[in-house]
Amino acid sequence: MPRRLRIDFISDISCPWCIIGLRGLEIALERLGETVEADIHFQPFELNPAMAPEGENIVEHIGRKYGATPEQSAANRANIRERAASVGFTMAMADDARIYNSFDAHRLLHWAEIEGRQAALKHALFDSYFTRGEDISNHDVLIAAVARAGLDADEARAILSSDRYAAEVREAERLWQGRGIQSVPAIVIDNRYLISGGQPPESFEQALRQIAAEPADA
């Protein structure tokens, strides 16, 4: 019988290493086949909770936050695009890309889990931001992603026009920060094991094989 694992994937839509890590995890799970049965839950984390509504240019943001020069920022984005391509994801990050607030996206992801479509929406949102270059704080952009994920657009619009699920998202953010999560992606398995960063498929596969080989009640 396959080993059933709960996987909490703590991440932000505006984090490029999060989609790289997610694809690495998904590829590893495909390679493991029937060895592991994964139950993935996407948990909220905001890299920029105080981001202004209009967002901020990515080069200016990285320079201000990390002290990177424009040349260093460009080299880093080129590396990210290459790593994303290696796991089958198209990353179109140009010099004029912007960082946006992601709180409303997290509210929709909370709802999507209830509806059983969380993974589909997570991928649609990553596609909106990184491949299409869209503003993920814009409600029309979010609703379009909802529709692509097979969810009810009218219900999403009603959620966005209210504060529904705001308290739940804030509570989940506090929970994981209280457990020591300060950077993403952070992948917590069975509430016992932590894998940090946008690891390649091989690293995820090795770690999951080791965990699956241990007794479930260890």
Side-chain angles (χ1 to χ4, degrees), residues 3-8 176 179 187-195 210-218:
R3 172 72 182 275
R4 188 172 182 84
L5 298 175
R6 177 188 171 99
I7 300 178
D8 288 290
W176 290 104
R179 292 180 178 179
I187 299 91
V188 177
I189 302 170
D190 279 354
N191 291 309
R192 289 188 291 170
Y193 311 94
L194 172 65
I195 302 173
Q210 291 175 347
I211 292 169
E214 296 180 4
D217 56 353

Coordinates of all heavy atoms in Angstrom, one line a residue, residues 3-8 176 179 187-195 210-218:
R3 N 2.3 4.9 1.0 CA 2.4 5.7 2.2 C 1.7 7.0 2.0 O 2.1 7.8 1.1 CB 3.9 5.9 2.6 CG 4.1 6.8 3.7 CD 3.8 6.2 5.1 NE 4.0 7.2 6.1 CZ 5.1 7.4 6.7 NH1 6.2 6.7 6.4 NH2 5.2 8.4 7.7
R4 N 0.7 7.3 2.8 CA 0.0 8.5 2.7 C 0.7 9.6 3.5 O 1.0 9.4 4.7 CB -1.4 8.4 3.2 CG -2.3 9.6 2.9 CD -3.8 9.3 3.3 NE -4.6 10.4 3.0 CZ -5.1 10.7 1.8 NH1 -4.9 9.9 0.8 NH2 -5.9 11.8 1.6
L5 N 1.0 10.7 2.8 CA 1.7 11.8 3.5 C 0.9 13.1 3.4 O 0.4 13.4 2.3 CB 3.0 12.1 2.8 CG 4.1 10.9 2.8 CD1 5.3 11.3 2.0 CD2 4.5 10.6 4.3
R6 N 0.8 13.8 4.5 CA 0.2 15.2 4.4 C 1.4 16.1 4.1 O 2.4 16.1 4.8 CB -0.5 15.6 5.8 CG -1.0 17.0 5.7 CD -1.5 17.5 7.1 NE -1.7 18.9 7.0 CZ -2.9 19.5 6.8 NH1 -4.0 18.7 6.7 NH2 -3.1 20.8 6.7
I7 N 1.2 17.0 3.1 CA 2.2 17.9 2.7 C 1.6 19.3 2.8 O 0.7 19.6 2.1 CB 2.8 17.7 1.3 CG1 3.4 16.2 1.3 CG2 3.8 18.7 1.0 CD1 3.9 15.9 -0.1
D8 N 2.1 20.1 3.7 CA 1.8 21.5 3.8 C 2.8 22.3 3.0 O 4.0 22.4 3.4 CB 1.7 22.0 5.3 CG 0.5 21.4 6.0 OD1 -0.7 21.8 5.6 OD2 0.6 20.5 6.8
W176 N 1.8 29.4 10.9 CA 3.1 28.9 10.3 C 4.3 29.8 10.7 O 5.4 29.3 10.9 CB 2.9 28.8 8.8 CG 2.0 27.7 8.5 CD1 0.7 27.8 8.1 CD2 2.3 26.3 8.6 NE1 0.1 26.5 8.0 CE2 1.1 25.6 8.3 CE3 3.4 25.6 9.0 CZ2 1.0 24.2 8.3 CZ3 3.3 24.2 9.0 CH2 2.1 23.5 8.7
R179 N 5.4 28.7 14.0 CA 6.1 27.4 13.9 C 7.5 27.6 13.3 O 8.2 26.6 13.1 CB 5.3 26.4 13.1 CG 4.0 26.0 13.8 CD 3.3 25.0 12.9 NE 2.1 24.5 13.6 CZ 1.2 23.6 13.1 NH1 1.4 23.1 11.9 NH2 0.1 23.3 13.8
I187 N 8.2 23.3 2.9 CA 7.4 22.2 2.7 C 7.4 21.3 3.9 O 8.5 20.8 4.3 CB 7.8 21.4 1.4 CG1 7.7 22.2 0.2 CG2 7.0 20.1 1.2 CD1 9.0 23.0 -0.1
V188 N 6.3 21.2 4.6 CA 6.3 20.5 5.9 C 5.5 19.2 5.6 O 4.4 19.2 5.2 CB 5.6 21.3 7.0 CG1 5.4 20.5 8.3 CG2 6.3 22.6 7.2
I189 N 6.1 18.1 6.0 CA 5.6 16.8 5.7 C 5.2 16.1 7.0 O 6.0 15.9 7.9 CB 6.5 15.9 4.9 CG1 6.9 16.6 3.6 CG2 6.0 14.5 4.6 CD1 8.0 16.0 2.8
D190 N 3.9 15.7 7.1 CA 3.4 15.0 8.3 C 3.7 15.8 9.6 O 3.8 15.2 10.7 CB 3.9 13.6 8.4 CG 3.2 12.6 7.5 OD1 2.2 13.0 6.9 OD2 3.6 11.5 7.4
N191 N 3.7 17.1 9.5 CA 4.0 18.0 10.7 C 5.3 17.6 11.4 O 5.5 18.0 12.5 CB 2.8 17.9 11.7 CG 1.6 18.5 11.1 OD1 1.6 19.7 10.7 ND2 0.5 17.8 11.2
R192 N 6.2 17.0 10.7 CA 7.4 16.5 11.3 C 8.7 16.9 10.6 O 9.8 17.1 11.1 CB 7.4 15.0 11.6 CG 6.5 14.5 12.6 CD 6.6 13.1 12.9 NE 6.2 12.2 11.8 CZ 6.5 10.9 11.7 NH1 7.2 10.3 12.6 NH2 6.0 10.2 10.7
Y193 N 8.6 16.9 9.2 CA 9.8 17.1 8.4 C 9.7 18.4 7.6 O 8.6 18.7 7.1 CB 9.9 15.9 7.4 CG 9.8 14.5 8.0 CD1 8.6 13.9 8.1 CD2 11.0 13.9 8.6 CE1 8.5 12.6 8.6 CE2 10.8 12.7 9.2 CZ 9.6 12.0 9.2 OH 9.5 10.8 9.7
L194 N 10.8 19.1 7.5 CA 10.8 20.4 6.8 C 11.8 20.3 5.6 O 12.9 19.9 5.8 CB 11.2 21.5 7.7 CG 11.4 22.9 7.0 CD1 10.1 23.4 6.4 CD2 12.0 23.9 8.0
I195 N 11.3 20.6 4.4 CA 12.2 20.8 3.2 C 12.1 22.3 2.8 O 11.0 22.8 2.6 CB 11.8 19.9 2.1 CG1 11.8 18.4 2.5 CG2 12.7 20.1 0.9 CD1 11.2 17.5 1.5
Q210 N 12.9 8.5 1.7 CA 13.4 8.2 3.0 C 12.2 8.3 4.0 O 12.1 7.5 4.9 CB 14.5 9.2 3.4 CG 15.8 9.0 2.6 CD 16.8 10.1 2.9 OE1 16.5 11.1 3.5 NE2 18.0 9.8 2.5
I211 N 11.4 9.4 3.9 CA 10.3 9.5 4.8 C 9.2 8.4 4.6 O 8.7 7.8 5.6 CB 9.6 10.9 4.5 CG1 10.5 12.0 4.9 CG2 8.2 11.0 5.3 CD1 10.1 13.4 4.5
A212 N 9.0 8.0 3.4 CA 8.0 7.0 3.1 C 8.5 5.6 3.7 O 7.7 4.7 4.0 CB 7.7 6.8 1.6
A213 N 9.8 5.4 3.8 CA 10.3 4.2 4.3 C 10.3 4.0 5.8 O 10.4 3.0 6.3 CB 11.8 4.0 3.8
E214 N 10.0 5.2 6.5 CA 9.9 5.2 7.9 C 8.5 4.7 8.4 O 7.6 5.0 7.6 CB 10.2 6.5 8.5 CG 11.7 7.0 8.2 CD 11.9 8.4 8.8 OE1 11.0 8.9 9.5 OE2 13.0 8.9 8.6
P215 N 8.4 4.1 9.5 CA 7.1 3.7 10.0 C 6.2 5.0 10.2 O 6.7 6.0 10.6 CB 7.4 3.1 11.4 CG 8.8 2.7 11.3 CD 9.5 3.7 10.4
A216 N 4.9 4.9 9.8 CA 4.0 6.0 9.9 C 3.9 6.5 11.3 O 3.6 7.7 11.4 CB 2.7 5.6 9.3
D217 N 4.0 5.7 12.3 CA 3.8 6.1 13.7 C 5.1 6.3 14.4 O 5.1 6.4 15.6 CB 3.0 5.1 14.4 CG 3.6 3.7 14.4 OD1 4.6 3.5 13.7 OD2 3.0 2.8 15.1
A218 N 6.2 6.6 13.6 CA 7.5 6.8 14.3 C 7.5 8.1 15.0 O 6.9 9.0 14.6 CB 8.6 6.7 13.2

